[in-house]
Amino acid sequence: MKRALITGITGQDGSYLAELLLTKGYEVHGLVRRASTFNTERIDQIRERVKLHYGDLGDATSLHTVVRDVMPDEIYNLAAQSHVRVSFEMPEYTFDVTGGGVGRLLEAVRLSNPKAKLYQASSSELYGKVHEVPQRETTPFHPRSPYAAAKAYAFYITQNYREAYGMYAVNGILFNHESPRRGENFVTRKITRAVGRIAAGTQKRLALGNLDAKRDWGYAGDYVEAMWQMLQLDTPEDFVIATGETHSVREFLEIAFKRIDRKFEDYVDYDARHLRPSEVDILLGDASRAKKAFGFAPKVDFQPLVEMMVDADVALALREAKAAEPVEA
């Protein structure tokens, strides 16, 4: 039985990855931060089948302890301060966790379990002000946020440990990937949550910033399988994971509101407070190397992805509305 350690196991990607590894017979361990509230909602359905450990990417001692005690065959580093807009407000914290935390984890692995294979969650935000379209593994980086700059450090320190110490450490440059488990502060889930509440009659308006930003949106369930496949190769390599299609926020809105037979123009307001200080206008990935190396091919297209998220959030909003109804005496 292989043993895997997932940082960020309670997040969107971590929960899908944990489920995937369990189906493959892995013993799954997860790293969680000690906090006043213990948020395991996304893994409640598998909570009894995974082993959780307290630790933090900001604390080197805890990382050494967990890596030494678990001795995993594979490590998936999915933990980060991952919200781009928030990184402008918390740049130092973002760099310490999203960037420096990767260096701490790599050093813990080097000292305690150097034979482990490590996957580092990289990001299409590295390309920022893009130098070519589509973006591939050889496209130069041009970060446009503190988050992206921190991810650039994480990318290069992962490469450095691979080259300097012969470690199996790889970067997955994943383009945007969504699901009903996406955090509610990300624009896609913010939209589908609003659509659900509008359908349930508990919300009237939605405020957004740049509707013309274009992204390559895939399904998180497809992308975690690519993470696993990257660690099954004989030779460690970095790969772009993307759908090869780009769509605007406006297109996302159109499909989402059409799902409940509404027009988004009747509900969406422009609010400049949601704009980034420096915008990323278009991201479009070329995953041809991943397709050639291990057959990567996304299964869920853009429109079914949006509709999946809307359906889940309409059902959630209806449950919330019913729970808020006064109980008759």
Side-chain angles (χ1 to χ4, degrees):
M1 178 183 291
K2 280 189 175 181
R3 188 176 300 145
L5 172 64
I6 304 172
T7 73
I9 192 172
T10 59
Q12 170 189 255
D13 292 5
S15 64
Y16 280 115
L17 178 62
E19 290 174 351
L20 174 69
L21 295 180
L22 287 171
T23 66
K24 296 182 179 296
Y26 278 66
E27 178 183 307
V28 177
H29 297 252
L31 188 74
V32 294
R33 287 182 298 168
R34 182 70 178 175
S36 57
T37 57
F38 199 48
N39 179 23
T40 60
E41 179 182 352
R42 294 185 182 93
I43 59 169
D44 281 348
Q45 72 281 6
I46 57 170
R47 177 64 185 85
E48 300 304 316
R49 301 173 61 197
V50 301
K51 301 178 181 180
L52 301 182
H53 307 263
Y54 287 121
D56 195 304
L57 291 183
D59 178 40
T61 300
S62 68
L63 297 177
H64 280 271
T65 300
V66 172
V67 171
R68 182 196 63 210
D69 291 350
V70 175
M71 289 298 289
D73 300 288
E74 297 173 1
I75 299 170
Y76 298 85
N77 183 38
L78 312 183
Q81 190 302 98
S82 58
H83 196 277
V84 175
R85 186 66 184 83
V86 170
S87 77
F88 284 99
E89 300 166 7
M90 304 176 67
E92 185 177 348
Y93 174 76
T94 298
F95 179 77
D96 185 55
V97 173
T98 305
V102 179
R104 296 185 191 101
L105 180 59
L106 284 163
E107 186 66 0
V109 174
R110 183 182 76 84
L111 294 175
S112 300
N113 188 11
K115 297 298 183 182
K117 294 183 174 182
L118 184 141
Y119 170 88
Q120 165 58 22
S122 205
S123 170
S124 58
E125 288 286 333
L126 290 168
Y127 298 117
K129 189 174 182 180
V130 300
H131 290 225
E132 64 178 349
V133 178
Q135 296 88 53
R136 48 184 63 88
E137 291 83 1
T138 55
T139 303
F141 296 155
H142 192 143
R144 298 270 281 174
S145 67
Y147 167 77
K151 281 291 187 181
Y153 172 83
F155 179 93
Y156 287 121
I157 198 68
T158 298
Q159 279 194 342
N160 180 251
Y161 269 67
R162 181 171 73 219
E163 295 171 0
Y165 302 114
M167 293 169 58
Y168 195 114
V170 301
N171 291 285
I173 309 174
L174 271 58
F175 281 63
N176 295 63
H177 45 289
E178 318 298 319
S179 77
R181 301 181 192 176
R182 187 60 143 152
E184 293 184 24
N185 55 348
F186 290 88
V187 67
T188 51
R189 188 77 194 290
K190 181 179 180 180
I191 291 170
T192 60
R193 278 295 267 154
V195 170
R197 290 173 176 142
I198 289 168
T202 57
Q203 183 171 331
K204 294 182 179 180
R205 310 293 300 176
L206 169 63
L208 294 173
N210 182 10
L211 304 189
D212 296 317
K214 294 182 178 181
R215 296 292 184 269
D216 186 327
W217 276 304
Y219 173 52
D222 292 340
Y223 285 29
V224 299
E225 188 166 351
M227 298 177 188
W228 174 77
Q229 289 173 314
M230 287 176 65
L231 293 195
Q232 311 315 306
L233 300 176
D234 293 333
T235 303
E237 294 183 61
D238 304 322
F239 290 98
V240 163
I241 304 298
T243 69
E245 296 182 6
T246 189
H247 300 274
S248 67
V249 175
R250 192 181 305 276
E251 290 176 79
F252 195 103
L253 281 166
E254 288 172 348
I255 295 171
F257 275 86
K258 185 177 181 180
R259 191 66 172 171
I260 61 168
D261 296 318
R262 313 282 178 96
K263 292 184 177 180
F264 81 86
E265 293 89 346
D266 296 332
Y267 300 92
V268 176
D269 300 314
Y270 172 77
D271 189 338
R273 290 176 297 178
H274 294 289
L275 297 176
R276 302 178 184 180
S278 52
E279 184 57 81
V280 173
D281 297 318
I282 181 171
L283 293 174
L284 174 62
D286 177 2
S288 57
R289 284 190 70 245
K291 182 177 180 179
K292 182 178 181 181
F294 50 84
F296 171 74
K299 302 180 183 69
V300 180
D301 292 330
F302 179 66
Q303 181 167 333
L305 171 61
V306 179
E307 293 174 345
M308 173 203 307
M309 294 176 67
V310 170
D311 291 349
D313 278 332
V314 168
L316 175 57
L318 290 172
R319 290 195 302 271
E320 290 174 337
K322 185 175 182 180
E325 291 176 356
V327 179
E328 295 183 6

